[in-house]
């Protein structure tokens, strides 16, 4: 068949070589240009910074996302984007009268040195930076934030938590899943801290480029239903019933290039920020393969990133959702009709094990048969297998993949294990009284 | 040491399933492969008893395997379907000549009636003539747009109840990616449907929607099925090529990626406030179109009026150009 299928014609704006640059700034028409955006728009330094700041302000100004005096958790990872976000917020707070930002920022840095090597003085440098700005700030150890409600206490002993956290990642063999798990645990940690710090809004610094990579990786990982949760401008965290925590991504309309020039012109130093993919090659994980794919396309088709990003704007989660994933808090996407990729995958597994017998036996019978085979009397391993299967039932499609790859569940945060117990308890109760419920 | 078949039939395994990683013997693989498609057909309610089904036959591996499997399942599970092979001849020298020969062989082998319709018959233009007119850069636009309607037109002519196409899981996953890359949310939602029903056209279904391309090749290989394999002889679309490579790369990292992407497609919702194009019918030919004048008619108008670039670019521009032209009579075929 022809490589273009019947879905329709494809029109992509291919990169056209630029005309000779006009060297004057397009805004003031006086100064010489210092920055060229999208290979055609020339700005001078003096006009560039306000332009970028304006985009940032427009994004948070939209639909009154933040109320006067509201406590907003500002997540700083040390990346250029996050350092720029911090600078923009600080600048906004200094401004006079009507232009001033009126919310109450609480700056957060999560120290992930338990998982990755960081320069020894990095935490100190970050502390200095925060103090220079004179904003309320907290520096929290990652493991403490994942496992303890007492994580804001600086004297807390984190050794046991550090071990647990390292175990989790050591027990995941697949690099893609490791990174996915890191993202989810980070999010849990931040959500918990927002709650502890009584913040009802939180800001993270992802830019357009990063979010478009995340969108496509999400699709590749089976997280399509969580796109608006992971890249949206403001996301109501519906799982959090006491306070409604809204995530705001004020840098999402800025490109990576705009941010790096902003940082350059304001002389902002960024810090090392690692993850499991740092220093891995592009063909070892889905996330990095996706990144390379998008970057390559972007070279030949400069509208790639913004198109992907705009696609994401139009996608939402199912409004009818009632259940949320125990691990990532995304909508549960596993209640699928028999005619679906998920059920088809289960059936594939089933027929591969059953061969000709597949016609006669049902999936349930196969499971029973399997269980009987696996049973080793009184031994603990059986319970563990059960627990895993039970937990997986409360997870979304993609998180289930992570937990299935995880060798031991012992080091999962207790909230996850406990919540699962609660759910099972409730299910049992329901089972017992179901005949009497009207 | 030989590895045993994971279906515990006692035979030695001869292959590892690309989709699940299970090792199977030849017989058990056939069972698994066919049963999965049977299950896709019954769960998706793709056919009704007594339906006349046109199999879109290109002579390629997907449609060859589709024809073979549908014939097998139809007999084994009494679907009571009448199967017809429907081929479109774009009129590309050296491309269809060989692939149509394959379709002819399929016809004899499976004893199914075959109907071949040419672009020349349907539109008055063969692809060779189109290439002579527009050059090689944009011809894939023509061949894609024309093929979409060609099947509808052909199926209408044959008076069938349904068209079955050979789109496999890889194709669907790739299309999901492509629609994200081009920002087409309406198609993004539609492309994962196993049956597409649009008013005014014959329903189309994809029985191989959950079948991996690698397994299709495997099935054809072990069954020694005859198929014709060439990419389109014209320059393949660069953008789609990137998407395909990307898909292969991530499939290698995680074989379930293809299904994961389809799952993503099946669970994504379009925001309520997003305006989708209304789907109506073309005022010139009466086939489904989101515009007043469908893409095929637009391209055809361009060709017939010696303005072949018309309709390749943005639709709005083309519409304007078309409106400026004296109103042509309705197209008939
Ligand atoms: Zn200027
Ligand atoms: Zn989840
Ligand atoms: Zn076997
Ligand atoms: Zn072509
Ligand atoms: Zn038309």
């Amino acid at each position: 068949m022809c490589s273009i299928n019947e879905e329709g014609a494809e029109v992509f704006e291919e990169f056209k070589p630029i005309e000779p640059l006009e060297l004057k700034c397009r805004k003031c028409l006086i100064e010489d240009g210092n920055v060229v955006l999208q290979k055609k728009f020339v700005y001078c330094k003096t006009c560039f910074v306000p332009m970028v700041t304006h985009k940032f302000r427009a994004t948070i100004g939209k639909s009154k996302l933040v109320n006067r005096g509201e406590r907003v958790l500002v997540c700083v990872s040390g990346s250029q984007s996050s350092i720029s976000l911090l600078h923009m917020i600080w600048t906004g707070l200094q401004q006079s009268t009507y232009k001033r930002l009126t919310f109450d920022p609480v700056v957060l840095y999560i120290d992930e040195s338990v998982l990755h090597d960081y320069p020894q003085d990095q935490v100190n440098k970050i502390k200095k930076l925060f103090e220079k700005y004179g904003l309320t700030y907290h520096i929290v150890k990652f493991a403490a934030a994942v496992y303890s409600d007492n994580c804001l206490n600086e004297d807390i002993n984190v050794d046991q938590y550090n071990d647990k956290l390292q175990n989790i990642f050591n027990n995941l063999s697949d690099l893609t899943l490791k990174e996915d798990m890191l993202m989810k645990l980070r999010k849990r940690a931040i959500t918990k801290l927002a709650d502890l710090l009584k913040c009802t809004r939180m800001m993270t610094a992802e830019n357009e480029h990063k979010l478009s990579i995340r969108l496509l990786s999400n699709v590749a990982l089976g997280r399509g239903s969580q796109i608006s949760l992971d890249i949206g401008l403001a996301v109501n965290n519906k799982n959090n019933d006491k306070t409604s925590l809204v995530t705001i991504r004020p840098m999402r309309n800025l490109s990576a290039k705009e941010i790096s020039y902003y940082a350059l012109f304001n002389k902002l130093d960024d810090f090392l920020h690692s993850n499991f993919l740092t220093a891995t090659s592009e063909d070892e994980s889905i996330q990095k393969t996706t990144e390379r794919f998008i970057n390559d396309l972007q070279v030949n088709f400069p509208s790639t990133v913004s198109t992907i990003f705009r696609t994401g704007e139009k996608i939402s989660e199912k409004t009818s959702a009632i259940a949320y994933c125990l691990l990532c808090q995304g909508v549960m996407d596993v209640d699928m009709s028999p005619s679906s990729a998920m059920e088809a995958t289960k059936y594939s597994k089933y027929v591969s094990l059953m061969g000709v017998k597949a016609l006669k036996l049902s999936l349930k019978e196969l499971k029973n048969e399997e269980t009987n085979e696996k049973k080793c009397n009184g031994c603990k391993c059986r319970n563990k297998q059960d627990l895993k299967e039970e937990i997986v039932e409360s997870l979304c499609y993609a998180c289930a993949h992570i937990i299935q790859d995880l060798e031991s569940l012992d080091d999962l945060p207790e909230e996850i294990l406990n919540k699962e117990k609660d759910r099972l308890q409730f299910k049992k109760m329901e089972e017992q009284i179901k005949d009497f419920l009207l | 040491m030989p590895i045993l078949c994971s279906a515990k039939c006692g035979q030695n395994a001869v292959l590892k399933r690309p989709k699940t990683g299970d090792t199977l013997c030849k017989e058990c693989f056939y069972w698994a492969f066919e049963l999965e498609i049977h299950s896709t057909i019954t769960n998706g309610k793709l056919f009704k008893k007594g339906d006349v089904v046109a199999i879109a036959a290109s002579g390629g591996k997907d449609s060859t395997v589709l024809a073979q499997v549908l014939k097998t399942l139809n007999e084994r599970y009494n679907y009571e379907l009448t199967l017809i092979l429907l081929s479109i001849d774009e009129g590309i020298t050296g491309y269809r000549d060989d692939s149509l020969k394959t379709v002819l062989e399929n016809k004899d082998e499976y004893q199914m009636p075959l109907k071949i319709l040419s672009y020349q018959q349907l539109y008055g233009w063969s692809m060779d003539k189109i290439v002579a007119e527009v050059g090689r850069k944009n011809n894939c636009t023509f061949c894609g747009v024309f093929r979409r309607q060609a099947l509808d037109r052909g199926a209408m002519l044959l008076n069938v109840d349904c068209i079955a196409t050979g789109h496999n899981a890889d194709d669907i996953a790739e299309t999901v990616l492509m629609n994200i890359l081009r920002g087409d949310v309406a198609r993004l939602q539609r492309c994962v449907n196993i049956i597409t029903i649009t008013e005014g056209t014959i329903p189309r279904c994809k029985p191989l929607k959950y079948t991996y391309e690698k397994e299709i090749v495997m099935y054809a290989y072990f069954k020694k099925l005859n198929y014709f394999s060439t990419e389109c002889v014209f320059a393949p679309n660069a953008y789609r090529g990137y998407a395909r490579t990307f898909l292969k790369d991530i499939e290698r990292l995680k074989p379930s990626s293809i299904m994961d992407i389809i799952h993503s497609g099946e669970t994504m919702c379009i925001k309520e406030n997003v305006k989708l194009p209304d789907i109506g019918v073309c005022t010139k030919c009466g086939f489904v179109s989101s515009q007043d004048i469908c893409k095929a008619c637009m391209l055809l108008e361009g060709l017939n009026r010696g303005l072949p670039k018309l309709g390749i670019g943005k639709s709005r521009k083309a519409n304007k150009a078309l409106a400026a032209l004296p109103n042509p009579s309705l197209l008939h075929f």
Side-chain angles (χ1 to χ4, degrees):
Chain A
M1 225 191 226
C2 170
S3 60
I4 169 173
N5 67 14
E6 304 101 63
E7 293 293 335
E10 285 147 18
V11 185
F12 292 104
E13 259 177 63
E14 207 162 334
F15 170 64
K16 293 177 198 83
I18 354 152
E19 330 235 306
L21 284 175
E22 353 152 15
L23 288 169
K24 294 285 173 206
C25 165
R26 68 194 299 252
K27 205 115 186 197
C28 61
L29 304 171
I30 301 165
E31 295 293 325
D32 285 344
N34 299 107
V35 191
V36 188
L37 293 179
Q38 289 157 40
K39 298 183 168 137
K40 51 187 175 207
F41 302 129
V42 183
Y43 288 91
C44 76
K45 206 159 136 180
T46 335
C47 296
F48 177 79
V49 173
M51 190 271 296
V52 170
T53 311
H54 179 78
K55 273 197 186 177
F56 156 78
R57 293 295 293 258
T59 310
I60 35 174
K62 234 181 248 169
S63 61
K64 297 207 169 151
L65 291 168
V66 192
N67 300 316
R68 181 175 283 271
E70 190 163 16
R71 279 169 75 83
V72 177
L73 189 70
V74 179
C75 304
V76 175
S77 66
S79 71
Q80 197 168 52
S81 224
S82 70
I83 296 295
S84 303
L85 170 65
L86 187 61
H87 185 263
M88 284 181 197
I89 291 174
W90 177 79
T91 314
L93 292 165
Q94 310 309 309
Q95 255 156 1
S96 57
T97 56
Y98 71 100
K99 268 184 150 179
R100 191 186 315 148
L101 287 173
T102 56
F103 59 81
D104 181 10
V106 179
V107 182
L108 171 70
Y109 174 75
I110 294 186
D111 174 3
E112 295 185 4
S113 54
V114 53
L115 298 176
H116 310 284
D117 286 334
Y118 285 95
Q120 253 188 340
D121 56 346
Q122 175 146 327
V123 169
N124 273 333
K125 278 190 181 160
I126 283 176
K127 204 180 231 167
K128 260 190 211 140
L129 176 74
F130 290 173
E131 258 154 25
K132 195 186 94 194
Y133 284 126
L135 302 172
T136 316
Y137 72 89
H138 294 272
I139 293 176
V140 182
K141 298 254 186 223
F142 189 23
V146 170
Y147 292 106
S148 168
D149 285 338
N150 196 21
C151 54
L152 285 170
N153 182 344
E154 278 178 33
D155 301 327
I156 180 177
N157 177 7
V158 291
D159 290 350
Q160 48 160 337
Y161 302 135
N162 280 347
D163 288 347
K164 280 172 93 66
L165 195 62
Q166 282 168 339
N167 282 344
I168 284 208
F169 291 106
N170 290 337
N171 282 330
L172 283 168
S173 53
D174 185 88
L175 188 59
T176 298
L177 297 177
K178 240 183 213 188
E179 180 64 12
D180 201 26
M181 184 65 162
L182 176 63
M183 301 275 292
K184 299 309 159 200
L185 286 182
R186 248 184 215 159
K187 201 188 147 202
R188 284 187 77 86
I190 294 170
T191 310
K192 181 200 262 178
L193 283 159
D195 189 36
L196 291 173
L197 292 165
K198 307 213 163 23
C199 294
T200 40
R201 298 286 183 268
M202 63 185 207
M203 289 187 180
T204 53
E206 303 98 324
N207 59 46
E208 184 188 68
H209 185 225
K210 194 160 176 198
L211 289 173
S212 64
I213 294 169
R214 185 182 296 172
L215 185 152
L216 211 59
S217 318
N218 263 0
V219 169
L221 290 169
R223 293 194 185 273
S225 61
Q226 299 165 1
I227 281 174
S228 77
L229 184 73
D230 276 352
I231 79 156
L233 170 61
V235 176
N236 223 330
N237 192 337
K238 294 173 199 121
N239 207 29
N240 196 335
D241 23 28
K242 279 176 225 129
T243 56
S244 119
L245 178 65
V246 176
T247 306
I248 300 166
R249 301 186 167 93
M251 313 289 272
R252 70 202 287 272
N253 290 316
L254 293 171
S255 70
K257 190 169 182 182
E258 285 169 322
I259 291 168
S260 50
Y261 275 104
Y262 180 89
L264 181 75
F265 293 152
N266 287 294
K267 300 194 179 63
L268 305 176
D269 289 329
D270 55 327
F271 299 87
L272 180 68
H273 183 236
S274 306
N275 56 40
F276 287 105
L277 308 181
T278 317
T280 62
S281 82
E282 283 157 340
D283 49 9
E284 287 175 69
S285 65
I286 288 182
Q287 294 91 336
K288 268 217 169 169
T289 306
T290 309
E291 187 177 343
R292 176 184 55 189
F293 171 61
I294 289 180
N295 290 345
D296 286 355
L297 273 183
Q298 183 72 12
V299 173
N300 295 315
F301 307 90
S303 61
T304 301
V305 164
S306 56
T307 309
I308 297 175
F309 186 69
R310 267 184 285 119
T311 311
E313 306 265 67
K314 298 178 194 155
I315 296 170
S316 75
E317 53 206 276
K318 275 191 192 129
T319 38
S320 58
I322 35 157
Y324 297 88
C325 170
L326 206 50
L327 181 60
C328 75
Q329 278 134 24
V331 289
M332 284 296 269
D333 55 352
V334 289
D335 193 14
M336 301 299 290
S337 83
S339 176
S340 64
M342 210 184 92
E343 295 303 321
T345 306
K346 279 189 201 159
Y347 192 75
S348 290
K349 196 73 207 158
Y350 166 66
V351 284
S352 302
L353 292 176
M354 297 307 287
V356 194
K357 282 179 286 176
L359 257 189
K360 291 172 225 135
L361 284 163
S362 73
L363 194 53
K364 217 173 186 173
E365 284 166 284
L366 173 79
K367 264 206 173 139
N368 287 340
E369 208 172 81
E370 249 181 24
T371 321
N372 286 335
E373 262 173 44
K374 263 198 256 161
K375 218 166 232 165
C376 41
N377 291 336
C379 146
K380 239 182 153 183
C381 69
R382 169 92 199 95
N383 283 329
K384 278 193 179 158
Q385 194 55 37
D386 273 357
L387 182 61
K388 195 178 236 184
E389 269 162 36
E390 277 151 11
I391 286 193
V392 161
E393 264 177 52
S394 318
L395 298 177
C396 70
Y397 180 87
C399 287
H401 284 179
I402 302 179
I403 297 304
Q404 260 145 6
D405 190 60
L406 189 64
E407 233 172 79
S408 153
L409 301 177
D410 299 346
D411 301 303
L412 284 176
E414 244 157 66
E415 303 119 62
I416 294 183
L417 298 171
N418 288 344
K419 249 197 205 144
E420 177 54 23
K421 269 184 212 143
D422 290 353
R423 193 187 67 94
L424 284 178
Q425 183 69 20
F426 201 75
K427 222 168 102 184
K428 243 184 223 159
M429 278 156 52
E430 219 173 43
E431 193 66 27
Q432 281 171 4
I433 58 169
K434 68 166 191 259
D435 295 338
F436 301 96
L437 292 175
L438 298 175
Chain B
M1 205 185 92
I3 303 166
L4 282 177
C5 170
S6 37
K8 300 183 205 78
C9 65
Q11 301 280 328
N12 286 336
V14 295
L15 59 90
K16 192 173 146 205
R17 286 194 74 181
K19 191 176 182 181
T20 62
D22 294 306
T23 50
L24 290 179
C25 73
K26 213 154 76 175
E27 287 306 313
C28 289
F29 172 68
Y30 293 156
W31 269 102
F33 186 90
E34 288 157 7
L35 270 176
E36 275 176 38
I37 298 168
H38 174 56
S39 143
T40 305
I41 289 170
T42 48
N43 284 330
K45 302 188 178 65
L46 301 193
F47 308 119
K48 290 187 304 294
K49 270 194 180 188
D51 273 356
V52 180
V53 178
I55 300 171
S58 66
K61 61 178 178 331
D62 298 321
S63 62
T64 302
V65 167
L66 179 63
Q68 152 85 25
V69 172
L70 281 186
K71 182 187 164 65
T72 308
L73 296 177
N74 191 28
E75 285 161 8
R76 191 188 293 158
Y77 303 112
N78 300 316
Y79 291 170
E80 293 175 24
L81 304 177
T82 308
L83 300 170
I84 303 175
L85 295 168
L86 170 59
S87 270
I88 304 298
D89 180 4
E90 295 92 337
I92 305 173
T93 314
Y95 175 55
R96 280 307 178 208
D97 303 351
D98 296 332
S99 64
L100 286 175
K101 212 160 62 195
T102 318
V103 179
L104 282 167
E105 285 164 17
N106 288 346
K107 166 198 166 201
D108 295 337
E109 199 175 328
Y110 308 141
Q111 311 209 318
M112 285 181 202
L114 164 67
K115 178 82 188 167
I116 300 175
L117 292 168
S118 70
Y119 276 14
Q120 182 67 46
Q121 275 170 290
L122 293 171
Y123 301 105
W125 288 82
S126 72
M127 275 312 291
D128 280 348
K129 283 209 293 195
I130 291 172
V131 172
E133 201 75 18
V134 303
R136 292 203 159 205
K137 191 156 174 275
N138 290 309
N139 62 68
C140 272
T141 304
F142 285 87
C143 105
V145 170
F146 283 176
R147 187 183 299 114
R148 173 158 183 86
Q149 260 196 16
L151 276 181
D152 285 333
R153 292 183 180 207
M156 209 73 108
L157 220 61
L158 296 177
N159 200 20
V160 299
D161 298 295
C162 154
I163 307 172
T165 62
H167 292 101
N168 58 44
D170 301 49
D171 294 332
I172 314 275
E174 185 184 299
T175 308
V176 168
L177 295 175
M178 286 299 289
N179 286 328
I180 291 171
L181 293 175
R182 63 179 161 207
D184 191 337
V185 279
R187 281 217 182 89
L188 180 58
Q189 191 133 74
R190 249 182 296 142
C191 73
V192 289
N193 291 345
I194 192 156
I195 314 180
T196 3
I197 302 170
T198 335
E199 201 152 339
T201 47
I202 289 163
R204 286 172 178 237
C205 67
K206 308 162 185 159
L208 304 182
K209 181 186 173 191
Y210 299 118
T211 308
Y212 274 35
E213 187 166 277
K214 285 205 177 89
E215 301 205 346
I216 291 173
V217 175
M218 229 172 215
Y219 186 84
Y221 171 82
F222 283 113
K223 288 251 171 189
K224 299 193 172 58
L225 297 183
N226 229 331
Y227 71 80
F228 179 74
S229 86
T230 330
E231 296 285 306
C232 175
V233 289
F234 300 128
N237 181 296
Y239 213 93
R240 191 171 271 277
Y242 280 113
R244 175 132 290 210
T245 314
F246 172 59
L247 190 67
K248 295 270 173 262
D249 286 346
I250 58 174
E251 186 197 359
R252 196 168 27 75
L253 282 166
K254 195 158 165 263
S256 73
S257 291
I258 289 172
M259 292 302 247
D260 296 347
I261 291 172
I262 301 177
H263 176 77
S264 281
E266 286 173 348
T267 53
M268 280 191 276
C269 289
I270 301 177
K271 274 190 190 153
E272 274 165 29
N273 56 6
V274 174
K275 222 182 142 255
L276 296 176
D278 303 317
I279 296 189
V281 289
C282 167
T283 51
K284 291 195 188 298
C285 68
F287 278 95
V288 182
S289 168
S290 54
Q291 309 282 330
D292 278 354
I293 298 161
C294 76
K295 198 93 184 169
C297 285
M298 209 116 78
L299 294 174
L300 215 47
E301 269 305 309
L303 284 172
N304 291 337
R305 285 169 191 278
L307 297 165
K309 292 270 153 60
L310 197 65
I312 292 174
K314 295 244 157 51
S315 292
R316 206 158 28 88
K317 229 191 279 169
N319 260 335
K320 236 191 221 158
L322 257 188
L325 294 165
N327 195 33
S329 55
L330 281 174
L331 291 160
H332 293 287
F333 71 96

